[in-house]
Amino acid sequence: MKAINLAEKLALFSTHWDPHVVAGYNGNDVMVVKFQGEFPFHKHDTTDDFFLVLEGEMVMEYDDRDPVTVHAGEIVVVPAGQTHRPRAEEEVKVLLIEPRGEPNSGDADVTPASKPSI
């Protein structure tokens, strides 16, 4: 039981769309990820999607509503079953929380990330 420095964890990798687990609690993975560009539209049928922007700015796009811009220090929670895609013009650093084993690609035709622990 010690403090986890998210900046140190983020400095351990440079890849995009590649979440890394930094902690777990109550059956959830707490992860950090870097991304730039856009992820395919997808949804998670049985779980919400939690995003906390640590550095930079991202846009959460939806298939049926206006996009939401999320700045550093802000969160967005995508409800279960909502089709969405995150995107960022410049690299963004994000903390994610998902149930352990939930594929980051949801129902998209994209191979899920492996989510290594660091």
Side-chain angles (χ1 to χ4, degrees):
M1 292 189 294
K2 62 179 184 171
I4 298 166
N5 185 302
L6 298 178
E8 288 177 3
K9 297 296 187 181
L10 283 158
L12 295 175
F13 64 97
S14 60
T15 54
H16 289 161
W17 307 108
D18 188 19
H20 287 67
V21 177
V22 297
Y25 81 100
N26 294 332
N28 292 293
D29 285 331
V30 178
M31 299 166 284
V32 290
V33 66
K34 299 175 186 178
F35 60 83
Q36 186 173 0
E38 63 188 33
F39 201 74
F41 274 107
H42 67 285
K43 63 183 170 64
H44 304 268
D45 286 326
T46 61
T47 185
D48 299 335
D49 231 356
F50 176 97
F51 297 77
L52 164 62
V53 175
L54 301 170
E55 185 178 314
E57 177 181 291
M58 65 171 274
V59 175
M60 186 62 70
E61 295 183 331
Y62 304 98
D63 66 338
D64 64 351
R65 63 188 70 195
D66 291 337
V68 175
T69 301
V70 189
H71 303 93
E74 296 180 335
I75 68 170
V76 62
V77 177
V78 179
Q82 174 68 58
T83 300
H84 64 285
R85 84 166 161 203
R87 70 173 170 82
E89 296 298 318
E90 303 293 327
E91 183 178 79
V92 63
K93 298 174 182 173
V94 177
L95 181 130
L96 307 170
I97 301 174
E98 292 178 344
R100 192 169 297 119
E102 178 70 19
N104 70 316
S105 56
D107 68 348
D109 190 21
V110 173
T111 302
S114 62
K115 300 183 184 178
S117 294
I118 54 173

